[in-house]
């Protein structure tokens, strides 16, 4: 157990070191490294397809490329539907990275957010129609915020590593929500009841563009979150403080910045974002139900990949979230070929996680005479 | 005598900076050749080219008269060129021998075979009087010994040409003596040494010839014996350098800082500050002298509030600040040039502009309702860059990490001086800087003293202590053991106080 903990700590440290650093190279090179990573992911996915179902591999690759256009407006809308929550969890992870924290608890925060959104969506029908969904979203944000606040507080006051605390909270969230669903909004079989019509996030005009898709205005909420986080990080003293703590805690202390407060604020905001993602997933009319199962929700982990691919920058996260949404949507259409669902998931995950290796490519494309080369000086 | 190395007309540019501009360096066999220059003059770049870490844009390199291309450190190694980096490249939980053979281990059936290597290392160590035990763990030997491991590593790889990058920066005075001895032995055995440094005294003590670089340009090569320190300093900086900065007579004002009975115990239960009491008055530079690790760091941490775990009182301008927050202390008139500029002084991954507002981003000048005023920040930074001559590749947008050590320090000095504090706490403000920058920082410290501010200078360098302070207090094992005036004490006597072999009057401290 102890060695496992150390292992996690080590991984999180190295990730943190890599990602809390401001990219030193120009935006052009950054984008290039991300694009190479995506390319590598696609190649690897293609190799997997060749292994599993060789006769359909080329067709499969074609579908991955053209997934958004398979079913006209429906598939295009679904790209946004899939992208919205992972943009927000990506933002959650990326925001914490910027403050020097590794929020591996996005999934737990998302889970509690989902439950609160569903609970309000199912049970609080007494609210006026146009307020219902707003209250449900706010409730989810608040729940996620609390779930982020706890590890932040533990880290600030007792120096409990956030990776350990958030992992534990992921499981607590999962079991707590299973119990909560079963005792309050259970459909009697396996999952939560459908939320009321008034709790579904309005389409905000997307119904005109994508009439056949169940995409909601959740995508706009994600974009608004991106803009807010961008402004907070880049334009405010608050963001300045958080970044100072993230880059160099000691220097931040020297400058009189309360680093404990910064850690707690950062984790709380990260949690709130993941909570919002929960609302975006489940306040849709597309039959999204919280299933009672012993599984952590994948949207939280996808957030890590999105943050890595987007280099923790809000705009980068938006773009990489859209890319992942695109790929996930394509995966849906792979079912039309001879691919098993599991194989599709493996292929899609491979592409996603390979893409997250953009840092590796960044190093490769960086000036090869930089520091890391110097250590190679010994023979 | 032939040249072992000739680097002819080397030019190398980086984005925004011409690091080497038509530089020529010729090293004779069996000499110690010093490469002198300020921080950022291009010494390290030139040596990195020789060691294969960078490729020059133009120019030729000749080793033993033959033109060569050095594309990687491996090529350098094959040409018998070795380098001791400023920051050692050692694996800390490996033994001396394991570190030395790393990368060229002998194996038998896939198992390590160390016996032969250990014998060879022992023999080399004996030959050069290194006093190394091949089986010691790196983390358990001193920095000076670690450096010898690095040197032995070169010898083990049959290096004939050895590059030493600022080798004395991390050493104690005694270790420096020993290193000089080792270097002289090495050239006696026919090795050639290139010594990168900006310390003129060392060049005088050890080098045969000296090539000078300034701002990437080759200035000239001189014979060390026939050139004095002032001449070399002038070549390096490009103007006459004052080693003794004139000071006006002292005008003592009111007491600015008053410290009483400061006690601090560290985590291991050792008392690191013992009843420390002293005053600093306006218009004086009070210097705290002492050997490293005698409580100076802890004293400053207590004064700045970085470590609040102490007892005693700290009074600034009559107001007690013993329990005040760090922010409260900095805003009520304490400036702080920290000991470790990378750990405390700068956020290395912030731009220069972001670093310049580190202590004042919350001022109305730089923010409004929590939104940063970028125009003001930018003009403020450019103003400081101009006034304090902070040099960097991309101005305010330069990443602090990419600036030279001297300019990083200048940036901190600019930030802290510009806040116009009544008490400036400067901890080893000139560590690792070249003569030009040292002169500059000393001038700045004296100028705020002359503006009737108080300066508390913590320094390990006796030259600095004797040169600019008005009063000296000596710390030994967490206690103040002497209070003296620089004109009434010799360096020798000060050394005795610092090593704890003598105690003086400390009445006048309080």
């Amino acid at each position: 157990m102890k060695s496992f903990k150390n292992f996690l700590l080590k991984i999180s440290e190295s990730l943190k070191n890599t990602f809390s650093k401001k990219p030193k190279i120009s935006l052009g090179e950054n984008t290039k490294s991300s694009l190479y990573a995506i390319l590598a992911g696609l190649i690897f996915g293609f190799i997997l397809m060749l292994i599993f179902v060789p006769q359909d591999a080329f067709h499969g690759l074609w579908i991955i490329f053209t997934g958004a256009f398979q079913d006209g407006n429906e598939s295009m809308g679904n790209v946004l539907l899939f992208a919205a929550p992972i943009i927000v969890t990506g933002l959650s992870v990326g925001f914490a990275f910027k403050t020097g924290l590794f929020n591996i608890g996005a999934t737990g925060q998302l889970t509690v957010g989902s439950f609160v959104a569903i609970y309000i969506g199912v049970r609080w029908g007494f609210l006026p129609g146009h307020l219902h969904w707003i209250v449900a979203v706010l409730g989810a944000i608040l729940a996620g915020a609390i779930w982020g606040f706890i590890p932040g507080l533990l880290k600030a006051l007792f120096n409990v590593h956030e990776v350990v605390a958030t992992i534990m909270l992921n499981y607590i969230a999962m079991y707590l929500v299973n119990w909560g669903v079963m005792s309050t909004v259970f459909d009697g079989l396996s999952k939560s009841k459908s939320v009321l019509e008034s709790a579904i996030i309005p389409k905000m005009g997307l119904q005109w563009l994508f009439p056949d898709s169940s995409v909601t205005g959740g995508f706009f909420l994600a974009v608004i979150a991106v803009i807010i986080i961008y402004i907070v990080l880049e334009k405010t003293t608050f963001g300045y403080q958080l970044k100072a703590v993230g880059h160099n805690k000691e220097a931040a202390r020297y400058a009189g910045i309360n680093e404990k407060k910064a850690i707690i604020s950062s984790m709380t905001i990260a949690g709130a974002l993941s909570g919002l993602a929960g609302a975006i997933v489940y306040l849709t009319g597309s039959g999204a139900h919280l299933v009672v199962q012993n599984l952590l929700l994948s949207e939280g982990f996808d957030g890590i990949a999105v943050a890595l691919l987007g280099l923790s920058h809000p705009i980068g996260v938006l773009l990489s979230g859209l890319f992942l949404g695109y790929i996930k949507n394509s995966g849906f259409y792979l079912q039309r070929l001879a691919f098993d669902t599991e194989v599709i998931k493996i292929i899609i995950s491979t592409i996603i996680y390979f893409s997250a290796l953009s840092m590796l490519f960044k190093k490769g494309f960086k000036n090869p005479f930089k520091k890391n080369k110097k250590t190679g000086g010994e023979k | 005598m032939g040249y072992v190395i000739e680097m002819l007309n080397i030019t190398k540019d980086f984005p925004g900076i011409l690091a080497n501009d038509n530089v020529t360096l010729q090293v004779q066999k069996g000499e110690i050749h010093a490469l002198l220059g300020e921080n950022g003059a291009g010494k390290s770049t030139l040596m990195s080219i020789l060691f294969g870490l960078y490729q020059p844009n133009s120019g030729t390199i000749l080793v033993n008269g033959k033109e060569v291309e050095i594309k990687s450190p491996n090529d350098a190694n094959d040409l018998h060129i070795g380098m001791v980096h400023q920051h050692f490249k050692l694996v800390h939980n490996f033994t001396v021998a394991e570190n030395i053979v790393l990368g060229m281990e002998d194996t038998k059936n896939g198992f390590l075979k160390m016996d032969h290597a250990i014998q060879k290392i022992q023999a080399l160590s004996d030959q050069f009087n290194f006093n190394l035990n091949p089986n010691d763990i790196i983390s358990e030997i001193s920095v000076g010994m670690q450096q010898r491991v690095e040197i032995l590593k070169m010898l083990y790889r049959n290096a004939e040409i050895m590059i030493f990058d600022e080798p004395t920066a991390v050493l104690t005075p005694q270790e420096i003596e020993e290193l000089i001895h080792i270097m002289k032995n090495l050239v006696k055995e026919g090795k050639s040494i290139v010594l990168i440094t900006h310390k003129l005294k060392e060049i005088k003590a050890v080098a045969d010839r000296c090539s000078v670089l300034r701002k990437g340009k080759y200035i000239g090569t001189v014979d060390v014996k026939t050139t004095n320190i002032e001449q070399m300093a002038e070549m390096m900086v490009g103007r006459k350098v004052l080693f003794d900065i004139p000071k006006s007579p002292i005008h003592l004002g009111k007491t600015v800082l008053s410290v009483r009975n400061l006690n601090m115990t560290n985590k291991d239960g050792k008392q690191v500050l013992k009843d420390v009491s002293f005053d600093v008055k306006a218009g004086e530079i009070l210097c705290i002298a002492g050997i490293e690790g005698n409580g100076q760091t802890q004293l400053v941490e207590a004064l700045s509030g970085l470590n609040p775990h102490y007892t005693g009182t700290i009074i600034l301008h009559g107001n007690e600040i013993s329990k005040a927050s760090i922010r409260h202390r900095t805003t009520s008139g304490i400036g702080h040039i920290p000991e470790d500029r990378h750990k405390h002084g700068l956020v290395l991954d912030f731009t220069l502009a972001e670093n310049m507002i580190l202590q004042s981003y919350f001022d109305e000048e730089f923010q409004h309702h929590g939104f940063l005023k970028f125009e003001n920040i930018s003009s403020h930074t450019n103003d400081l860059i101009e006034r304090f001559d902070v040099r960097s590749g991309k101005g305010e947008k330069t990443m602090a990490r990419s600036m030279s050590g001297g300019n990083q320090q200048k940036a901190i000095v600019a930030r802290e001086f510009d806040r116009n504090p009544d008490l400036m706490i400067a901890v080893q403000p000139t560590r690792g800087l070249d003569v030009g920058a040292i002169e500059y920082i000393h001038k700045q410290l004296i100028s705020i003293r002359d503006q009737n501010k108080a300066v508390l200078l913590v320094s390990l360098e006796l030259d600095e202590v004797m040169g600019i302070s008005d009063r000296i207090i000596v710390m030994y094992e967490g206690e103040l053991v002497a209070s003296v005036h620089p004109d009434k004490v010799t360096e020798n006597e000060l050394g005795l106080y610092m090593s704890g072999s003598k105690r003086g009057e400390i009445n006048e401290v309080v």
Side-chain angles (χ1 to χ4, degrees):
Chain A
M1 186 65 206
K2 200 177 168 217
S3 64
F4 177 65
K5 186 179 150 188
N6 284 340
F7 170 72
L8 283 173
L9 291 184
K10 248 186 226 158
I11 288 189
S12 81
E13 282 310 317
S14 58
L15 278 172
K16 221 182 324 189
N17 288 343
T18 329
F19 291 97
S20 58
K21 269 177 204 158
K22 228 176 211 185
K24 266 171 283 173
I25 53 181
S26 69
L27 193 74
E29 277 175 81
N30 271 337
T31 320
K32 203 158 83 186
S33 65
S34 290
L35 289 178
Y36 277 109
I38 289 171
L39 190 67
L42 288 171
I43 292 171
F44 208 81
F46 179 60
I47 293 173
L48 283 183
M49 287 192 272
L50 279 174
I51 294 170
F52 285 116
V53 192
Q55 71 275 18
D56 276 347
F58 281 99
H59 194 186
L61 189 66
W62 175 248
I63 286 183
I64 286 180
F65 277 128
T66 59
F69 309 100
Q70 289 286 323
D71 270 343
N73 80 73
E74 184 190 347
S75 45
M76 279 192 241
N78 283 348
V79 169
L80 300 190
L81 178 73
F82 289 130
I86 53 182
I87 288 171
V88 186
T89 49
L91 209 53
S92 165
V93 177
F95 183 76
F97 267 146
K98 285 270 183 190
T99 325
L101 298 165
F102 187 20
N103 179 22
I104 208 167
T107 178
Q109 296 143 13
L110 176 130
T111 307
V112 292
S114 306
F115 171 69
V116 171
I118 289 170
Y119 180 85
I120 295 175
V122 173
R123 300 281 286 255
W124 288 16
F126 55 83
L127 288 168
H130 56 283
L131 269 185
H132 193 184
W133 73 271
I134 296 177
V135 174
V137 167
L138 291 178
I141 291 175
L142 183 68
I146 293 170
W147 227 247
F149 171 80
I150 298 167
L153 191 75
L154 290 174
K155 167 107 181 176
L157 296 188
F158 308 112
N159 209 17
V160 178
H161 201 282
E162 76 275 9
V163 165
V164 177
T166 51
I167 287 182
M168 295 308 154
L169 278 169
N170 283 344
Y171 287 98
I172 295 174
M174 182 181 83
Y175 289 113
L176 200 64
V177 165
N178 280 350
W179 171 77
V181 168
M182 284 200 284
S183 46
T184 58
V185 290
F186 202 43
D187 70 348
L189 293 168
S190 63
K191 56 185 193 305
S192 64
K193 287 180 189 157
S194 297
V195 296
L196 300 175
E197 196 69 26
S198 57
I200 292 173
I201 301 172
K203 300 206 170 216
M204 303 180 190
L206 287 176
Q207 67 269 36
W208 307 115
L209 281 170
F210 314 109
D212 300 328
S213 166
S214 46
V215 63
T216 67
F219 180 71
F220 290 124
L221 297 185
V223 172
I224 291 168
V226 166
I227 294 169
I228 291 175
I229 293 299
Y230 174 79
I231 291 173
V232 165
L233 277 176
E234 301 298 326
K235 307 285 177 199
T236 66
T237 52
F238 177 63
Y240 177 85
Q241 292 177 347
L242 293 186
K243 282 190 290 181
V245 172
H247 288 311
N248 184 345
K249 211 151 93 177
E250 285 299 320
R253 244 163 69 69
Y254 157 87
I257 294 168
N258 186 336
E259 93 271 22
K260 293 185 192 312
K261 215 166 105 188
I263 287 169
I264 296 172
S265 319
S266 168
M267 278 308 286
T268 307
I269 291 172
L273 287 166
S274 290
L276 169 64
I280 292 175
V281 178
Y282 290 99
L283 296 181
T284 56
S286 62
H289 297 97
L290 205 48
V291 180
V292 176
Q293 56 184 359
N294 292 344
L295 252 186
L296 296 171
L297 298 172
S298 69
E299 282 88 350
F301 295 114
D302 290 342
I304 298 172
V306 170
L308 295 179
L309 185 58
L311 301 171
S312 294
H313 190 281
I315 308 298
V317 163
L318 178 69
L319 295 176
S320 60
L322 280 170
F323 165 70
L324 259 65
Y326 192 100
I327 294 290
K328 286 196 149 195
N329 176 64
S330 302
F332 178 77
Y333 291 105
L334 277 183
Q335 293 179 37
R336 292 180 179 176
L337 304 179
F339 290 94
D340 293 326
T341 335
E342 287 78 13
V343 172
I344 294 172
K345 283 200 171 147
I346 292 171
I347 292 167
I348 296 304
S349 317
T350 307
I351 296 175
I352 291 173
Y353 287 95
F354 229 96
S355 311
L357 293 178
S358 58
M359 284 318 275
L360 201 77
F361 287 92
K362 190 166 147 185
K363 283 218 173 101
F365 287 99
K366 217 157 69 171
N367 182 351
F369 310 116
K370 280 270 165 65
K371 229 179 187 170
N372 48 356
K373 182 83 188 224
K374 262 190 188 166
T375 46
E378 293 152 299
K379 193 182 159 188
Chain B
M1 197 183 290
Y3 292 117
V4 280
I5 289 180
E6 289 180 87
M7 299 180 79
L8 304 173
N9 310 103
I10 301 288
T11 297
K12 171 75 188 169
D13 67 344
F14 293 111
I17 264 175
L18 193 56
N20 285 155
D21 182 5
N22 204 9
V23 172
T24 291
L25 176 75
Q26 292 170 310
V27 181
Q28 289 171 356
K29 186 163 171 54
E31 73 165 343
I32 300 181
H33 194 107
L35 186 58
L36 175 67
E38 291 186 284
N39 289 311
K43 307 177 298 254
S44 295
T45 306
L46 189 66
M47 285 304 106
S48 298
I49 290 172
L50 183 57
F51 195 54
L53 295 168
Y54 299 135
Q55 305 305 313
N57 300 52
S58 65
T60 44
I61 303 174
L62 281 75
V63 174
N64 293 320
K66 258 186 266 165
E67 187 170 340
V68 292
E69 235 183 299
I70 308 176
K71 287 205 169 121
S72 78
N74 293 343
D75 292 348
N77 200 39
D78 295 341
L79 294 163
H80 303 292
I81 299 172
M83 184 159 178
V84 175
H85 297 268
Q86 192 175 356
H87 303 286
F88 306 147
K89 316 265 181 198
L90 296 170
V91 183
H92 279 244
N93 51 357
F94 273 17
T95 64
V96 169
E98 284 167 338
N99 265 288
I100 290 172
V101 299
L102 193 62
M104 48 186 295
E105 310 87 358
D106 286 332
T107 52
K108 188 179 177 185
N109 304 328
F111 290 96
L112 263 183
K113 234 178 65 189
M114 295 291 289
D115 304 355
H116 180 70
I118 288 176
Q119 274 173 23
K120 187 176 167 191
I121 291 165
Q122 190 69 58
L124 280 169
S125 169
D126 292 345
Q127 185 190 348
F128 290 96
N129 281 328
F130 277 13
N131 239 338
L132 278 170
N133 178 352
N135 295 314
D136 281 348
I137 305 282
I138 293 295
S139 57
E140 288 166 7
I141 62 177
S142 71
V143 173
M145 294 304 263
Q146 291 178 9
Q147 189 171 55
R148 290 183 192 180
V149 177
E150 286 280 8
I151 300 170
L152 227 163
K153 209 153 86 181
M154 295 194 294
L155 292 169
Y156 189 82
R157 286 160 173 68
N158 302 317
E160 290 297 322
I161 302 141
M162 302 183 164
I163 308 167
F164 285 77
D165 187 2
E166 308 259 354
T168 60
V170 290
L171 300 184
T172 65
Q174 208 212 344
E175 286 173 330
I176 293 175
E177 283 294 315
E178 289 168 5
L179 176 68
I180 287 177
H181 192 71
I182 286 174
M183 288 169 68
K184 286 189 168 160
N185 270 341
L186 288 170
V187 287
K188 247 185 238 159
E189 299 282 329
K191 315 279 184 192
S192 314
I193 292 179
V194 181
L195 170 67
I196 307 177
T197 186
H198 53 241
K199 293 193 181 166
L200 297 157
K201 273 188 183 170
E202 281 160 17
I203 293 178
K204 205 66 188 159
V206 68
D208 301 306
R209 294 193 308 147
C210 171
S211 292
V212 185
L213 299 186
R214 189 199 314 150
K215 290 180 189 167
K217 288 201 169 66
Y218 173 68
I219 303 301
T221 301
V222 294
D223 187 49
V224 172
K225 276 195 200 71
T226 58
T227 317
N228 64 30
I229 284 182
E230 282 75 14
Q231 287 165 325
M232 284 194 275
E234 195 177 335
M235 283 177 79
M236 164 163 83
V237 184
R239 59 178 165 81
K240 287 228 182 304
V241 179
L242 296 172
F243 285 93
D244 289 312
I245 299 160
K247 280 200 307 188
S248 54
I250 189 165
H251 291 290
L252 277 184
K254 281 192 294 190
T255 300
V256 176
L257 177 77
S258 183
V259 177
R260 290 292 174 278
N261 306 101
L262 220 52
N263 282 289
M264 189 192 278
T265 311
N266 71 3
K267 276 186 197 145
D268 309 325
K270 192 184 163 218
Q271 199 171 0
V272 285
L273 290 180
K274 291 177 199 155
D275 267 331
V276 174
S277 300
F278 63 91
D279 286 343
V280 192
K281 292 196 164 69
E284 75 167 338
I285 297 178
L286 173 65
C287 181
I288 296 178
I291 297 167
E292 190 156 20
N294 276 284
Q296 302 97 317
T297 307
Q298 287 77 9
L299 175 63
V300 173
E301 281 178 353
L303 294 178
S304 61
L306 282 169
N307 182 350
H309 304 290
Y310 58 86
T311 61
T313 41
I314 302 169
I315 294 164
L316 184 71
H317 278 314
N319 302 317
E320 185 170 343
I321 55 162
S322 322
K323 298 275 170 280
S325 67
I326 299 170
R327 174 70 53 82
H328 181 93
R329 294 181 202 211
T330 43
T331 50
S332 53
I334 294 183
H336 180 191
I337 300 169
E339 178 176 359
D340 188 334
R341 55 180 168 259
H342 290 171
K343 187 175 170 195
H344 287 116
L346 295 168
V347 178
L348 290 176
D349 292 305
F350 268 3
T351 62
L352 183 54
E354 285 169 320
N355 271 297
M356 284 302 197
I357 57 165
L358 198 58
Q359 297 266 43
S360 53
Y361 67 90
F362 45 85
D363 273 359
E364 209 34 51
E365 189 189 349
F366 301 122
Q367 60 95 19
H368 186 63
H369 294 313
F371 283 87
L372 292 166
K373 294 180 178 168
F374 289 100
E375 270 176 38
N376 289 7
I377 293 167
S378 159
S379 61
H380 171 75
T381 306
N382 287 324
D383 175 48
L384 291 185
I385 289 175
E386 182 122 331
R387 271 165 51 208
F388 290 84
D389 188 30
V390 184
R391 287 180 212 157
S392 59
K394 298 177 200 155
E396 55 162 315
K397 296 214 159 52
T398 316
M399 283 290 158
R401 185 181 292 284
S402 69
M403 291 163 62
S404 69
N407 280 303
Q408 288 175 342
Q409 186 73 353
K410 274 185 176 180
I412 296 171
V413 166
R415 181 181 73 211
E416 296 303 308
F417 276 62
D418 181 65
R419 297 195 300 116
N420 205 13
D422 298 319
L423 170 70
M424 180 64 77
I425 303 174
V427 188
Q428 298 187 46
T430 59
R431 172 145 87 176
L433 302 190
D434 50 67
V435 285
I438 291 174
E439 177 200 24
Y440 167 87
I441 284 170
H442 284 170
K443 269 187 184 162
Q444 294 290 337
L445 287 172
I446 289 171
S447 84
I448 55 170
R449 159 205 186 256
D450 291 343
Q451 293 160 32
N452 213 28
K453 311 276 184 192
V455 177
L456 181 66
L457 171 70
V458 178
S459 179
L460 307 175
E461 309 265 347
L462 279 183
D463 289 349
E464 184 167 88
V465 173
M466 299 295 275
I468 70 166
S469 58
D470 297 307
R471 196 153 63 88
I472 302 166
I473 51 183
V474 184
M475 273 189 100
Y476 175 70
E477 297 204 327
E479 267 183 288
L480 297 186
V481 294
S483 167
V484 291
H485 283 268
D487 345 329
K488 292 176 194 156
V489 71
T490 62
E491 286 204 13
N492 220 335
E493 207 179 334
L494 211 51
L496 290 175
Y497 289 129
M498 284 163 62
S499 59
S501 25
K502 194 178 170 190
R503 289 176 86 95
E505 287 292 311
I506 50 169
N507 296 340
E508 57 184 309
V509 173
V510 179

